[in-house]
Amino acid sequence: MLMAHPAVLRNLVEQYDTLRILQAENGDADVQQRMDDIAYTLCVSTGTRDIDAALIAARHKLPGARPQDDSLLPA
């Protein structure tokens, strides 16, 4: 499986986090569509099937992530 570059993953995670805040504030359909698009891209980029797993996997691959701390990953 190809893995996205950490800079790409960081950008996607940051965009998703920002859009989640915007969605909570105003519930705009355009924001939701963009969140869905980014969630799909994160899932494909990390080889996962849902956004929660994709966010964990992406954050785990970012520089500075503690490789020994896999407590959030399923066994």
Side-chain angles (χ1 to χ4, degrees), residues 9 12-17 20 38-39 42-43 46 48 50-62 72-73:
L9 291 175
L12 289 169
V13 169
E14 288 173 357
Q15 284 185 59
Y16 190 83
D17 288 342
R20 187 173 8 198
I38 291 173
L42 275 166
C43 287
T46 58
T48 57
D50 66 79
I51 187 58
D52 294 326
L55 289 168
I56 290 168
R59 288 182 175 124
H60 194 70
K61 302 229 182 287
L62 295 178
L72 296 177
L73 298 176

Side-chain angles (χ1 to χ4, degrees), residues 2-74:
L2 292 176
M3 194 54 142
H5 190 278
V8 172
L9 291 175
R10 179 182 309 280
N11 182 275
L12 289 169
V13 169
E14 288 173 357
Q15 284 185 59
Y16 190 83
D17 288 342
T18 300
L19 289 168
R20 187 173 8 198
I21 293 167
L22 288 173
Q23 180 66 10
E25 289 177 356
N26 65 18
D28 186 20
D30 291 335
V31 171
Q32 183 61 51
Q33 180 60 51
R34 184 66 182 137
M35 281 179 66
D36 292 344
D37 293 345
I38 291 173
Y40 175 81
T41 303
L42 275 166
C43 287
V44 169
S45 299
T46 58
T48 57
R49 292 181 179 227
D50 66 79
I51 187 58
D52 294 326
L55 289 168
I56 290 168
R59 288 182 175 124
H60 194 70
K61 302 229 182 287
L62 295 178
R66 297 181 302 179
Q68 293 81 17
D69 184 12
D70 62 354
S71 60
L72 296 177
L73 298 176

